[in-house]
């Protein structure tokens, strides 16, 4: 009896072991590596970049990873056999190891799916799906459903983009006791849409509005998917030489209108790296056809030609207005739309624009794979720009005192009343030169000013202004300096000595230019790497302290603008030149042959 009892226990143990081998979707640490398990190693790269990524960049970070081990059915996915959790072998290396089931012979092959950044790292859903097909697993792990117009799809550094990949181009693998899968390329689960007005800049993520008379106030996505698929449909992707390609969309059903307001739009000019869409089959026919009101589309809202009324335009996913070349929405691609011109007011409501034939604007579009090493919105070596009533410089109304408001004018080439004298914006480094001392070669520097109104009457902001990325400090590291130290023009010299972004023709801004920076500072703040202005800043425009010729030629005071005072932010005031204030330098954006450019 005793031997029979032992024999029965052994049989029961063997049956349990077989069951564990048959469906072992459980945490790796729930069993010890033995003859039936294998330690595999792999590297991961975000979005077909070929480089490992594991950092705090939302678009390429990898915070968690698992491997789904499917029992290969010929060259197709069979059923889910095991889930292996990826463990980093070194911090921030992009290198992982995981425990999988080892093949029992050369006919025991597996296809391996890699998932990264599953919400909250909760991969428990897969542990309950042993024996399920790829299609069943794919449908079971769709994203949570989004609903409500304000519920836009967003990702953060804490919860970056979910990613998907397959090992060894999806070829069935014999899993050996210790093996290396090499680098597995991952793709994001959603697509990205950028849209801007005017001309797309070289960084691909910002636009210069130029002369297009339109201020973007909102972007709506009509018929946007409520969910996205963490795993694409089995037949909708392929892989070759380690590069994973998405061939067709994997729709999940259900749509919603999502609205991206002014918080998502930079300077009423572009919305970039903010709109993410699930995959979608757009049911294409013609741009305006029977499916027109059933198809996903962009609705752009804004103000045409300085109108106070908001107007709306429809932009379809084709390469330009009226083009026969159409697009579907594929995960891990970037769709960039450029509104080249706006000819007239659009429709009165977004709904009317969506349901009606597109009108009122011309656009072009491009689509490309969304790789992790593409240029981002970090400004290039070209620096930080303000374009008068255009790119980052739409605002020209300035409140410079208690309820005192005036429009900041453009640069004036000439100044004066009865006579017109050349006004050189760079060459004004002789203190106090005015009509009473007209000895400056190449043009005058203006005059001394008693009031802000007088200043803006004689000078204006250079219309294409480049702003230095940070405050200037002197040789001792002081960020506040005197306008003038003895006979040395300290503030002027610090800007003239600045070499930044490949240029050495920096200068102190005019009062009008400092005001132009102030009223558009939010657009500058939105650019990565730009240090916001804080405190009171010197400008090169001098204050006229009296009426005598000597007082007009020289002054002991100069104008400044307060950027962050509790009750004086934006105000202009004059200060003694011996006071210490901050400095931010500017230069003329377009090249001037007479200026040295490195």
């Amino acid at each position: 009896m005793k031997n029979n009892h032992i024999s029965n226990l052994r049989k029961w143990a063997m049956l349990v072991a077989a069951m564990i081998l048959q469906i072992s979707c459980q945490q790796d640490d729930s069993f010890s590596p033995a003859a039936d398990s294998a330690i595999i190693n792999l590297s991961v790269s975000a979005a077909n970049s070929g480089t490992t990524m594991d950092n705090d960049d939302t678009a390429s970070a990898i915070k968690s990873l698992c491997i789904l081990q499917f029992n290969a059915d010929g060259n197709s996915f069979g059923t889910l056999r095991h889930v292996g959790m990826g463990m980093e072998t070194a911090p921030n290396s992009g290198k992982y190891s995981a425990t999988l089931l080892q093949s029992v012979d050369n006919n025991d092959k597996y296809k391996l799916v890699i998932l990264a950044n599953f919400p909250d790292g909760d991969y428990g859903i897969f542990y309950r799906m042993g024996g399920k097909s790829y299609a069943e697993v794919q449908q079971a792990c769709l994203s949570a459903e989004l609903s409500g117009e304000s519920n836009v799809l967003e990702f953060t550094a804490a919860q970056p983009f979910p990613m998907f990949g397959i090992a060894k181009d999806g070829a069935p693998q014999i899993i050996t006791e210790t093996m290396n899968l090499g680098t597995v390329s991952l793709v994001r689960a959603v697509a990205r849409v950028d849209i801007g007005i005017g001309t797309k800049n070289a960084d691909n993520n910002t636009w210069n509005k130029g002369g297009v008379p339109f201020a973007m106030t909102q972007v709506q996505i009509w018929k946007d998917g409520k969910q996205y698929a963490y795993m694409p449909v089995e037949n909708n992707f392929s892989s070759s030489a380690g590069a994973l390609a998405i061939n067709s969309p994997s729709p999940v059903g259900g749509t919603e209108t999502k609205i991206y307001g002014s918080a998502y739009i930079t300077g009423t000019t572009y919305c970039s790296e903010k709109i993410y869409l699930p995959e979608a089959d757009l049911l294409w026919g013609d741009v305006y056809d029977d499916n027109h009101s059933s198809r996903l589309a962009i609705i752009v809202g804004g103000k045409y030609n300085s109108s106070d009324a908001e107007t709306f335009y429809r932009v379809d996913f084709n390469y330009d207005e009226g083009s026969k070349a159409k697009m579907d929405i594929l995960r891990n691609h970037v769709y960039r739309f450029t509104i080249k011109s706006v000819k007239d007011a659009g429709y009165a409501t977004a709904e009317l624009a969506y349901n009606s034939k597109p009108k009122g604007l011309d656009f072009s579009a491009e689509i490309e794979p969304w790789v992790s090493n593409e240029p981002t919105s970090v400004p290039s070596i070209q620096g930080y720009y303000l374009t008068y009533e255009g790119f980052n410089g739409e605002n020209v109304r300035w409140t410079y005192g208690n309820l005192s408001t005036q429009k900041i004018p453009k640069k004036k080439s000439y100044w004066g009343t009865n006579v017109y004298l050349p006004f050189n914006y760079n060459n004004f480094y002789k203190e106090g030169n005015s009509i009473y001392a007209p000895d400056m070669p190449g043009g005058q520097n203006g005059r001394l000013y008693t009031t802000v109104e007088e200043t803006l009457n004689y000078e204006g902001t250079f219309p294409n202004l480049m702003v230095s990325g940070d405050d200037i400090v002197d040789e001792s590291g002081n960020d506040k300096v005197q306008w003038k130290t003895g006979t040395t023009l300290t503030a002027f010299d610090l800007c003239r000595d600045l070499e930044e972004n490949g240029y050495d023709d920096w200068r102190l801004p005019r009062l009008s230019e400092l005001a132009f920076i102030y009223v558009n500072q939010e657009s500058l703040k939105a650019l990565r790497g730009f240090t916001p202005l804080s405190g009171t800043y010197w400008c090169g425009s001098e204050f006229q302290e009296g009426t005598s010729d000597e007082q007009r030629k020289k002054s002991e005071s100069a104008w400044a603008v307060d950027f962050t005072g509790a009750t004086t932010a934006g105000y202009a005031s004059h200060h003694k030149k011996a006071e210490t204030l901050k400095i931010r330098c500017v230069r003329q954006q377009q090249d001037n042959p007479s200026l040295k450019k490195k």
Side-chain angles (χ1 to χ4, degrees):
M1 291 292 296
K2 182 177 181 181
N3 288 339
N4 288 339
H5 179 67
I6 293 175
S7 177
N8 288 336
L9 286 177
R10 286 175 177 171
K11 290 180 180 178
W12 174 250
M14 292 175 64
L15 177 61
V16 170
M19 292 173 64
I20 291 175
L21 285 179
Q22 182 65 29
I23 301 174
S24 62
C25 290
Q26 56 223 10
Q27 295 283 0
D28 288 331
D29 58 7
S30 64
F31 61 90
S32 300
D36 61 342
S37 62
I39 305 298
I40 62 96
N41 296 289
L42 73 158
S43 297
V44 289
S45 68
N48 289 346
S49 68
T51 58
T52 57
M53 300 293 290
D54 189 355
N55 51 38
D56 289 329
D57 176 15
T58 303
S60 59
I62 296 173
K63 298 297 185 181
S64 64
L65 182 143
C66 83
I67 301 176
L68 305 183
Q69 185 176 3
F70 284 89
N71 220 338
D73 181 8
N75 198 43
S76 301
F77 290 91
T79 56
L80 181 62
R81 178 77 182 278
H82 180 78
V83 179
M85 296 304 301
M87 305 296 294
E88 275 192 294
T89 58
N92 298 321
S93 65
K95 298 181 183 299
Y96 292 80
S97 66
T99 302
L100 298 184
L101 296 181
Q102 184 176 341
S103 298
V104 296
D105 56 40
N106 290 341
N107 295 317
D108 186 18
K109 296 182 179 181
Y110 298 90
K111 292 169 74 77
L112 306 177
V113 168
I114 288 81
L115 292 179
N117 301 334
F118 208 71
D120 302 319
D122 182 12
Y123 296 90
I125 183 174
F126 300 109
Y127 300 135
R128 302 188 296 271
M129 299 202 68
K132 300 292 186 181
S133 68
Y134 179 99
E136 290 173 312
V137 175
Q138 191 267 343
Q139 281 295 305
C141 65
L142 301 179
S143 75
E145 185 171 291
L146 299 173
S147 62
E149 291 185 352
S150 62
N151 194 3
V152 298
L153 185 57
E154 295 183 299
F155 298 95
T156 66
Q159 181 53 63
F161 292 85
M163 297 186 188
F164 166 88
I166 53 174
K168 299 292 186 179
D169 288 333
Q173 298 294 304
I174 298 172
I175 307 299
T176 59
E177 184 175 357
T178 301
M179 66 181 300
N180 194 322
L181 297 179
T183 298
V184 179
S185 177
L186 306 181
V187 296
R188 302 171 189 86
V190 295
R192 191 181 98 202
V193 171
D194 297 340
I195 185 165
I197 303 168
T199 303
K200 183 165 60 66
N201 294 317
D203 64 8
N204 274 335
N205 297 327
T206 62
W207 277 258
N208 188 332
K209 186 183 294 184
V212 179
F214 184 70
M216 185 190 299
T217 56
Q218 62 174 294
V219 178
Q220 299 187 19
I221 309 295
W222 281 59
K223 304 292 183 176
D224 186 18
K226 287 186 177 182
Q227 293 178 272
Y228 57 91
Y230 295 111
M231 297 167 58
V233 172
E234 181 175 351
N235 296 324
N236 288 4
F237 61 89
S238 60
S239 185
S240 177
L244 183 61
I246 305 300
N247 307 319
S248 303
S250 298
V252 294
T255 60
E256 188 71 40
T257 298
K258 296 184 176 64
I259 300 177
Y260 300 79
S262 58
Y264 294 87
I265 297 170
T266 300
T268 71
T269 301
Y270 61 86
C271 182
S272 178
E273 300 179 280
K274 302 290 178 60
I275 300 177
Y276 306 107
L277 303 183
E279 292 175 307
D281 182 345
L282 299 191
L283 308 173
W284 272 111
D286 294 325
V287 169
Y288 188 64
D289 60 13
D290 291 341
N291 286 323
H292 181 79
S293 59
S294 302
R295 191 162 50 237
L296 184 148
I298 301 171
I299 304 297
V300 179
K303 297 181 179 179
Y304 170 68
N305 205 20
S306 301
S307 171
D308 291 333
E310 197 170 30
T311 187
F312 296 89
Y313 306 82
R314 174 166 174 151
V315 175
D316 282 279
F317 280 78
N318 53 303
Y319 283 95
D320 55 56
E321 186 66 23
S323 170
K324 294 183 179 180
K326 309 301 194 305
M327 306 172 180
D328 284 330
I329 309 299
L330 301 178
R331 70 177 61 206
N332 204 61
H333 285 74
V334 177
Y335 298 78
R336 292 192 179 93
F337 295 85
T338 297
I339 297 173
K340 299 180 293 184
S341 67
V342 181
K343 306 168 187 175
D344 201 352
Y347 292 96
T349 66
E351 183 177 13
L352 191 58
Y354 178 75
N355 290 318
S356 304
K357 187 174 183 178
K359 71 168 187 176
L361 57 75
D362 288 329
F363 70 88
S364 61
E366 56 188 23
I367 177 175
E368 61 184 40
W370 180 5
V371 296
S372 61
N373 58 350
E374 69 174 336
T376 67
S377 60
V378 177
S380 69
I381 197 169
Q382 299 303 310
Y384 308 94
Y385 297 133
L386 295 175
T387 300
Y388 191 85
E389 294 186 321
F391 177 65
N392 278 348
E394 291 82 4
N395 300 324
V396 294
R397 299 296 302 185
W398 176 36
T399 300
Y400 53 86
N402 187 20
L403 302 180
S404 299
T405 301
Q406 190 169 333
K407 183 176 181 179
I408 303 168
K410 284 185 181 180
K411 164 189 176 292
K412 298 179 179 179
S413 299
Y414 295 88
W415 67 278
T417 52
N418 297 324
V419 293
Y420 292 90
L421 301 173
F423 197 148
N424 189 309
Y425 272 63
N426 274 315
N427 190 19
F428 70 123
Y429 299 121
K430 283 190 177 180
E431 179 192 4
N433 273 274
S434 67
I435 192 171
Y436 299 99
D439 61 350
M440 182 177 292
Q444 300 300 315
N445 74 320
R447 58 179 295 171
L448 311 183
Y449 305 109
T450 306
T451 64
V452 169
E453 292 87 347
E454 184 183 21
T455 308
L456 300 184
N457 186 49
Y458 279 89
E459 64 176 58
T461 179
F462 203 89
N464 298 291
L465 197 67
M466 186 173 176
V467 185
S468 61
D470 206 345
D471 294 338
I472 305 302
V473 297
D474 64 12
E475 292 181 354
S476 301
N478 300 313
D479 64 348
K480 295 182 179 179
V481 300
Q482 294 176 301
W483 196 97
K484 178 182 179 182
T485 307
T487 59
T488 301
L489 303 181
T490 308
F492 287 110
D493 290 339
L494 285 172
C495 281
R496 283 188 293 179
D497 294 337
L498 174 64
E499 294 188 6
E500 182 174 297
N501 293 339
Y503 297 99
D504 64 358
D505 56 349
W506 296 91
R507 57 177 172 81
L508 203 62
R510 299 278 177 179
L511 177 57
S512 53
E513 292 173 325
L514 201 55
F516 189 47
I517 294 170
Y518 175 81
V519 298
N520 291 285
Q521 61 179 310
E522 293 304 317
S523 294
L524 291 170
K525 287 179 184 178
L527 301 176
R528 296 179 193 170
F530 184 86
T531 301
L533 287 82
S534 175
T536 303
Y537 289 79
W538 284 122
C539 72
S541 304
E542 297 173 70
F543 177 72
Q544 182 177 315
E545 294 186 316
T547 58
S548 70
D549 285 357
E550 186 62 25
Q551 287 172 321
R552 292 185 181 189
K553 289 179 182 179
K554 291 186 180 293
S555 171
E556 296 302 319
S557 300
W559 287 96
V561 174
D562 183 352
F563 273 70
T564 52
T567 59
T568 57
Y571 282 23
S573 56
H574 49 86
H575 298 254
K576 293 295 183 181
K577 293 177 180 176
E579 288 188 44
T580 58
L581 303 177
K582 291 187 173 183
I583 299 174
R584 188 65 67 103
C585 302
V586 299
R587 68 174 295 275
Q588 297 166 196
Q589 180 177 338
Q590 70 253 39
D591 297 332
N592 185 332
S594 66
L595 302 176
K596 179 182 178 183
K597 174 183 174 183
K598 288 188 177 296

